Amino acid sequence: MLYHIRMDVNLPPDLDPEERADLLAREKEYSQKLQREGKWPHLWRIAGEYANVSVVDLADHDELHSVLSGLPLFPYMNIEVTPLAVHPNKING
């Protein structure tokens, strides 16, 4: 199943710099693993914001929840999920 996801990150300004660096390193490792597995085929930064839009390809809503809640930055995110369906005008191939 394909999902369009918007993630807005809101890290506390007083977060310890070492904790912040560790959090960001773990986030990068986790998201790149999912990209290599083909589960996160699109990841785009929103210019001028600490936010991204993504398209993920996962088995079901349960896997989606597991992937999102596994993000190290999850406690600091506002997330909007939109399930996607094939458009009838899409050219196949």
Side-chain angles (χ1 to χ4, degrees):
M1 297 182 73
L2 295 176
Y3 300 91
H4 172 275
I5 304 169
R6 178 182 170 125
M7 299 179 214
D8 291 271
V9 181
N10 302 295
L11 289 174
D14 60 347
L15 186 63
D16 176 74
E18 287 182 22
E19 185 178 344
R20 178 187 171 97
D22 176 65
L23 198 56
L24 295 177
R26 290 187 294 119
E27 182 80 8
K28 181 177 182 178
E29 180 181 339
Y30 183 79
S31 67
Q32 288 183 347
K33 176 183 180 287
L34 292 165
Q35 290 172 66
R36 285 190 290 276
E37 293 173 353
K39 294 182 178 191
W40 199 327
H42 297 279
L43 173 59
W44 298 93
R45 171 174 287 166
I46 298 175
E49 299 182 35
Y50 196 174
N52 72 73
V53 292
S54 299
V55 174
V56 296
D57 188 0
L58 303 169
D60 53 33
H61 302 326
D62 292 326
E63 185 180 18
L64 172 67
H65 180 76
S66 178
V67 163
L68 293 177
S69 62
L71 289 164
L73 288 175
F74 180 76
Y76 306 103
M77 290 181 167
N78 293 326
I79 299 174
E80 286 183 27
V81 176
T82 305
L84 300 174
V86 175
H87 195 284
N89 293 346
K90 180 183 181 298
I91 297 173
N92 293 325

